């Protein structure tokens, strides 16, 4: 390898005026006199709403001064206008479904903790759906929160009853062994 040449240098017999074998179609020629190539001129679309066309930009068709921002549009180009952001606020349900939040907190703390956590999550989802106005989602989450709360309460009551029975049996058995 010759140290005076770079490894990525083209070979000596390379012809730079020759194009590669890959050919691409030439772009379409520009049309003089029609600045909106491929698009109809602005204002040529019919207004489908029946309302008068809105004019954007400065009132009275005056150009917007751009000097205060340090840069302006290119020469011959119209100023750029930005449309306002539209936000749609959902309306809450007129008759919100029950979210069973208090019931969920009770079952979380006093009955079965894991099922109470799931019931609490579905209760919060129900609240969010009620506020967002999603009736079907609120119904589904409310029903699931109620089912989980009933299940947690049933497990908690069954455990409580089993604990009382165990204490009674243990107490009776202890008294029988300590009595002479």
């Amino acid at each position: 390898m010759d140290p005076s040449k770079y490894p990525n240098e083209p070979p000596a017999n390379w012809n730079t005026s020759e194009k590669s074998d890959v050919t691409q179609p030439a772009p379409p020629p520009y049309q003089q006199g029609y600045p909106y190539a491929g698009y109809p001129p602005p204002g040529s679309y019919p207004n489908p709403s029946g309302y008068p066309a809105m004019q954007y930009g400065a009132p009275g068709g005056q150009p917007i001064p751009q000097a205060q921002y340090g840069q302006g549009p290119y020469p011959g180009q119209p100023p750029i206008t930005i449309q306002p952001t539209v936000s749609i606020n959902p309306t809450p349900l007129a008759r919100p479904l029950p979210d069973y939040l208090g019931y969920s907190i009770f079952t979380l703390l006093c009955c079965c903790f894991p099922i109470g956590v799931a019931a609490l999550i579905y209760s919060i989802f129900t609240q969010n759906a009620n506020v967002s106005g999603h009736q079907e989602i609120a119904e589904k989450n409310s029903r699931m929160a109620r089912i989980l709360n009933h299940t947690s309460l049933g497990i908690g009551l069954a455990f409580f009853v089993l604990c009382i029975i165990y204490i009674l049996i243990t107490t009776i058995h202890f008294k029988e062994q300590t009595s002479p």
Side-chain angles (χ1 to χ4, degrees), residues 120-130 137-138 141:
L120 182 66
I121 290 170
Y122 276 101
S123 295
I124 293 169
F125 286 165
T126 304
Q127 273 186 343
N128 292 342
N130 280 337
I137 296 172
N141 290 334

Side-chain angles (χ1 to χ4, degrees), residues 3-132:
S4 65
K5 294 189 177 191
Y6 292 107
N8 58 353
E9 189 175 310
N13 59 357
W14 179 267
N15 187 357
T16 57
S17 65
E18 209 175 89
K19 298 277 184 179
S20 68
D21 290 341
V22 179
T23 59
Q24 295 181 357
Y30 290 107
Q31 297 177 0
Q32 297 290 358
Y34 189 64
Y36 308 105
Y39 300 101
S44 66
Y45 292 111
N47 193 353
S49 65
Y51 293 107
M54 278 184 79
Q55 298 296 323
Y56 295 105
Q62 300 169 355
I64 299 173
Q66 298 289 328
Q68 61 187 349
Y69 299 109
Q71 67 182 21
Y74 292 109
Q77 295 274 331
I80 299 171
T81 57
I82 300 173
Q83 300 214 357
T85 304
V86 176
S87 62
I88 299 172
N89 298 330
T91 57
L93 294 176
R95 291 181 162 178
L97 288 133
D99 57 8
Y100 303 108
L101 186 63
Y103 192 15
S104 298
I105 293 171
F106 172 75
T107 59
L108 172 77
L109 297 175
C110 300
C111 297
C112 183
F113 184 78
I115 298 175
V117 168
L120 182 66
I121 290 170
Y122 276 101
S123 295
I124 293 169
F125 286 165
T126 304
Q127 273 186 343
N128 292 342
N130 280 337
V131 170
S132 299

